[in-house]
Amino acid sequence: MKSIPEMPQLHEPWYKYGVAFLCFEILIAVSVCAYSLFMTFHGLGGFPGKH
Amino acid sequence: MKTQKVEQLIIATVGFFWCFLMWFSTAAFSPSIAAHYHLSIKALGLLASSAIWMAPIGRIVAGWASDRFGAPRTFAAVLAVCGLVSVASAYTTDYTLLFAERIIVAVAGVSFVVGIQHVAQWFEDHEIGTAEGLYAGTGNVGAGAGALVLPRIFGTDYHAAFLWLGAIAVLLAAWYLVRGRAAKTAARREVARCRSNVRGTVFVWSRYIAIALMLAYAMSFGLEIAMNAWLPGYFSRGFHAAILALGFTSVAGLQIAAGTFAAVQSFTASLLRPFAGFMSDLFQRRGWTPLPFIAKSLPYAPRLHWLGIALILITLGTAGLAAAGLSGSLHLSVAVLVALGVFISFGTGGTFALVPLLFPDRPGTAAGFIGGVSTAAGIIYPLFFAGGPNIHTGYFTVAVYMFLPFVLFYFWAARHERHPEEHGLLPISLAAENA
């Protein structure tokens, strides 16, 4: 992999909050996937698929 | 009025989220609508595909309109019209009229390119990947939220859902109109407005790199929206016995189970899209250019390489979904779908981290072409999915006969080391005359 020297970019303050929100969204995605996979095994028998 | 770019990003993102929620709310209630009106399988397929009919032409027009009239006016008009028709559809009892009204509500899907143009007019080159990713990714969640949340809140009462979705859309239209500002500077706004003409449109449409990005977006976002409409039906039919065995025996239960499994694709594709934009920014900062053939010295070459990697992964993931389905394992299919959703997010985030950089003077027109024409793929893929010898093999057909040629074309179009936008079906003089 070619790697040219990193060019430092000064980010404005919003950027770190943007990245934090991005991580929060990844967490939601992982949770939804885990829940869906859990449901493929347990269906109605497991929380919170029970209704 | 004082404003700043983060407020504009929030307005665009909330408006887009709601538009996507409205766009795919019909699909979320398709089992209920089918049961209420006794629809056949073909009629159900028609209802699912109708959500995308307006997107290709509508997005092209919306992209041009956002350059011409500014994103706030264009977005507010989309929200208001779709919201009012959604309210009307809540009181409709005739299926033909409901079908027509839901096609008009599906115009909400054109809002994507308006917001892309809006964000591009406010953010700088080095942060555009993350900014567009946050906008598009968070907004796209509306589709997954529709499949996952709406049936749980409203049960089978789609009339109430359509009423609430429409009423809130009208309120959001007013907010967008009052607080939205078209561009960071008057000069930037003026450049976009002046170049929104037929010559500029023909110039963008005829560039090989624009066509390659359009196909890349057809592979990623086109596949995402096709899956949004297709997957609930795929799971309820392709894994009917497995879902029954899990205890979901009623129409409402089947709808919840199929919608939950389908939602993994939409949620991962949407929520990881900002991460894909961030990765595009990271490739750019580190100067990573690992792929052969693709240009290595362009100012944005690392972003081209990141998108190339995403397209290869999408092709492999789509073929993998066919293999998982043929194995008969619901667990494996959902797991592969998670991976495919992640790869799709890489493609969508990677594409729109590039578009504003390649066509900085025509962001709306470029977004309209790339984000608009590509959605036609969302109509075509389900035809292949449903047309195979069984319900699982269509994914493999799409991967081999459509995605593979698209990837090869992308590599070919992205090979130029200088100004790839100068190469196209028509001469570069189009741009000069238009400047």
Side-chain angles (χ1 to χ4, degrees), chain A residues 12 14-15 25 35-36 40 44, chain B residues 5 130 138 246-247 260 274 331:
Chain A
E12 294 174 45
W14 80 270
Y15 197 79
E25 292 193 318
Y35 169 50
S36 293
T40 65
L44 288 171
Chain B
K5 59 185 175 185
T130 306
T138 313
L246 287 168
T260 304
H331 321 300

Side-chain angles (χ1 to χ4, degrees), chain A residues 1-4 6-7 9 11-12 14-15 18 21-22 25 28-29 32-33 35-36 39-41 43-44, chain B residues 5-6 123 127 130 138 152 246-248 260-261 264 268 271-272 274 278 281 285-289 331 334:
Chain A
M1 182 181 292
K2 182 189 171 191
S3 182
I4 52 180
E6 188 174 344
M7 287 174 292
Q9 290 279 6
H11 290 295
E12 294 174 45
W14 80 270
Y15 197 79
F21 190 69
L22 179 159
E25 292 193 318
I28 296 174
V32 170
C33 293
Y35 169 50
S36 293
M39 221 168 96
T40 65
F41 287 100
L44 288 171
Chain B
K5 59 185 175 185
V6 174
F123 286 83
E127 56 193 13
T130 306
T138 313
R152 284 176 164 79
L246 287 168
F248 297 97
T260 304
F261 301 144
V264 299
T268 47
L271 287 169
L272 270 77
F278 171 80
D281 287 349
R285 281 202 300 276
R286 301 284 170 88
W288 290 338
T289 54
H331 321 300
V334 173

Side-chain angles (χ1 to χ4, degrees), chain B residues 320-340:
Chain B
L321 194 59
L326 289 170
S327 77
S329 167
L330 177 62
H331 321 300
L332 185 61
S333 287
V334 173
V336 173
L337 198 58
V338 171
L340 181 59

